[in-house]
Amino acid sequence: MPSTVLLGAQWGDEGKGKITDLISSDYDYVVRYQGGNNAGHTVIHGDTKLALHLIPSGVMYDHITPVIGNGCVVDPKVLTEEMQMLEGEGFSCENLRISCDAHVIMPYHIDLDGASERHLGKHEIGTTKRGIGPAYEDKAGRTGIRIQDLLDEKIFREKLEAALAIKNQVLTKIYGLEPYAVDQICEMYLPYAEVIRPHMAETAQLLNQELRAGKNILFEGAQGTLLDIDHGTYPFVTSSSCCAGGAPTGSGVGPKAINKVLGIAKAYITRVGSGPFPTELKDEVGERLCKVGGEYGVTTGRKRRCGWFDAVVSRYAADVNSLTDMALTKLDVLSCVDRIKVCVAYEADGKRYDYFPMQHSVLYPKHVTPIYEELPGWEGQDISDCKTFEDLPANAQRYVKYLEEVTGVPASIIAVGPERNQTIFHGWESR
């Protein structure tokens, strides 16, 4: 049965949680294929507002099996706490499956992440300091510890001893931090193994069997395209493959199973942390978008940088992900401005860029000038109760159509508020 990849088409924080929750009821499995608890998805379920960082949003539906794939890195403490939170809110985690090949975030990863950022000073990357990058470093260096290793204390101790022989040297001699002992970490982590054990599975085998049985899958990306380790604004990126190509490698399901790629994009654009941001608004309009849009990170609480919609970014995301559809979120926030700008190209050092430039150094303010088209807004008009595309004000319809034109991707879903029912389906079909 064909399946769908859902991912961020900007710098993350596009509202993926709501859209995942909204469409996931049409699927049998929801799979996180990359990242860790550096992600933050806000989901509103009835009167309950939940912040999920690791467990897929589909956990809220009894018929869905949520899966944490092999491409993820897992902090067992965060995972167990999130499971307890969901159970406390009345959502069962019984169906949750966790890949035995997913890598484990260890306490020294978290220490090294924070220490590295402090050491970089003004050149910091802007990580969440959750240990994500160092865990992926060990995975690539073939010295990581996987979920399956937690199940055998002897193997866990052997791998931990080998890792600490190096990590303790780095912690103490480079960063002046305290070392770890094998017994100390075993005491912390082995109890988590008993919580995780019932949920562990060979998830690649499971998912492929289910596909052959006619089931379908929603692959849930955690961060945005421009944070992808290969295709993002390196080095101000995350440490995994956020793009659609990461779904097969991060789950063990072949690309032929995927027939739709849904890119989530805000009607404006935001970014958390450091790195280039050509359309950033450092003025009263940017502050207004931040305030009205509630632009603060779910995971870190950090204030998001706000700017006008960037069609250059969106066209790039459309290409590297093979986007078939776009979900446009937070269109209602733009009711706070009277004129709306869309960046259609960049100008840097006398050259025009209609496509994302090869050298990201040109994206910084001293080089780049966004080339804007300006459209009339619908300031003061509340669109949160609009149920169809035709219900939207004429200028809002014009804006959506313009974004479809400059990105080349149909806006099949339009969010006009945070609630589930504040959504316009404009041609979306999950199958």
Side-chain angles (χ1 to χ4, degrees):
M1 178 69 69
S3 297
T4 299
V5 178
L6 180 153
L7 50 80
Q10 297 167 328
W11 269 290
D13 306 304
E14 301 96 345
K16 296 182 291 296
K18 172 187 171 172
I19 303 301
T20 304
D21 179 53
L22 194 67
I23 70 171
S24 59
S25 59
D26 292 335
Y27 296 84
D28 302 297
Y29 286 78
V30 178
V31 181
R32 271 283 304 273
Y33 61 86
Q34 51 82 211
N37 59 300
N38 54 337
H41 293 171
T42 300
V43 177
I44 298 175
H45 193 86
D47 296 328
T48 305
K49 184 177 181 180
L50 300 176
L52 301 178
H53 301 278
L54 190 57
I55 296 176
S57 305
V59 72
M60 296 181 176
Y61 296 93
D62 292 338
H63 74 281
I64 290 176
T65 300
V67 176
I68 296 174
N70 58 274
C72 296
V73 289
V74 178
D75 184 326
K77 180 176 185 292
V78 172
L79 176 62
T80 54
E81 288 176 348
E82 197 160 288
M83 290 170 66
Q84 290 167 0
M85 179 272 292
L86 285 164
E87 296 280 359
E89 293 289 346
F91 300 102
S92 173
C93 293
E94 183 179 356
N95 291 337
L96 174 65
R97 295 294 176 264
I98 305 162
S99 171
C100 58
D101 293 329
H103 279 245
V104 180
I105 297 174
M106 305 302 293
Y108 48 79
H109 290 142
I110 299 171
D111 290 349
L112 290 170
D113 199 355
S116 176
E117 284 288 89
R118 290 191 296 272
H119 184 73
L120 288 171
K122 67 178 183 178
H123 301 294
E124 69 174 5
I125 295 169
T127 78
T128 58
K129 301 181 179 66
R130 266 45 175 193
I132 310 300
Y136 277 114
E137 286 179 33
D138 282 1
K139 176 179 178 177
R142 293 161 294 178
T143 59
I145 294 174
R146 297 189 292 180
I147 288 286
Q148 59 181 278
D149 298 326
L150 292 174
L151 300 187
D152 188 317
E153 183 174 347
K154 181 181 178 182
I155 290 176
F156 183 57
R157 283 181 173 274
E158 287 176 354
K159 291 194 172 186
L160 192 54
E161 187 175 359
L164 289 180
I166 299 171
K167 300 302 179 186
N168 280 339
Q169 295 291 317
V170 178
L171 287 168
T172 59
K173 294 183 178 180
I174 296 179
Y175 294 118
L177 299 175
E178 292 295 317
Y180 283 96
V182 172
D183 286 344
Q184 176 189 6
I185 295 180
C186 283
E187 185 177 338
M188 295 167 58
Y189 271 55
L190 288 177
Y192 295 133
E194 298 314 307
V195 178
I196 295 171
R197 188 186 298 271
H199 302 281
M200 282 186 52
E202 210 305 305
T203 53
Q205 181 184 30
L206 169 67
L207 294 172
N208 281 292
Q209 285 176 343
E210 294 297 272
L211 283 169
R212 285 191 287 271
K215 307 291 183 165
N216 63 339
I217 300 171
L218 178 64
F219 297 94
E220 179 184 20
Q223 283 88 23
T225 297
L226 272 294
L227 295 179
D228 185 276
I229 186 67
D230 288 301
H231 302 291
T233 47
Y234 189 90
F236 303 102
V237 294
T238 193
S239 301
S240 57
S241 298
C242 316
C243 290
T249 56
S251 67
V253 170
K256 286 201 299 183
I258 298 166
N259 76 317
K260 283 184 176 290
V261 183
L262 175 63
I264 318 301
K266 276 179 185 164
Y268 47 105
I269 195 169
T270 62
R271 175 166 199 169
V272 169
S274 306
F277 187 0
T279 66
E280 183 174 9
L281 293 168
K282 297 182 178 180
D283 57 10
E284 186 272 335
V285 175
E287 288 296 320
R288 199 185 315 166
L289 290 173
C290 181
K291 182 178 179 180
V292 175
E295 297 297 352
Y296 296 89
V298 177
T299 299
T300 63
R302 289 182 294 179
K303 182 179 179 181
R304 295 173 185 147
R305 301 153 65 190
C306 296
W308 295 121
F309 188 94
D310 191 328
V312 182
V313 163
S314 294
R315 287 193 293 268
Y316 178 69
D319 278 354
V320 298
N321 293 299
S322 293
L323 294 185
T324 60
D325 299 83
M326 175 170 59
L328 193 64
T329 64
K330 291 197 170 183
L331 185 66
D332 53 302
V333 174
L334 291 180
S335 295
C336 72
V337 293
D338 63 341
R339 303 289 296 179
I340 303 171
K341 293 182 179 180
V342 175
C343 174
V344 295
Y346 307 142
E347 184 177 322
D349 302 323
K351 183 178 178 181
R352 179 185 171 106
Y353 293 88
D354 294 291
Y355 194 74
F356 211 65
M358 177 179 68
Q359 291 180 279
H360 294 170
S361 58
V362 305
L363 297 176
Y364 286 92
K366 66 179 181 179
H367 295 292
V368 72
T369 300
I371 299 173
Y372 289 114
E373 292 290 337
E374 190 169 299
L375 290 86
W378 54 95
E379 187 178 21
Q381 298 183 64
D382 183 4
I383 65 171
S384 60
D385 289 330
C386 293
K387 303 301 181 186
T388 69
F389 185 74
E390 290 70 28
D391 290 340
L392 291 170
N395 285 345
Q397 294 184 38
R398 185 180 307 162
Y399 181 67
V400 173
K401 290 176 181 177
Y402 184 74
L403 295 189
E404 291 180 321
E405 178 185 333
V406 294
T407 62
V409 183
S412 303
I413 302 174
I414 304 166
V416 293
E419 304 290 341
R420 286 174 57 85
N421 62 359
Q422 293 176 313
T423 309
I424 297 170
F425 287 95
H426 186 49
W428 170 255
E429 294 181 4
S430 59
R431 301 294 202 280

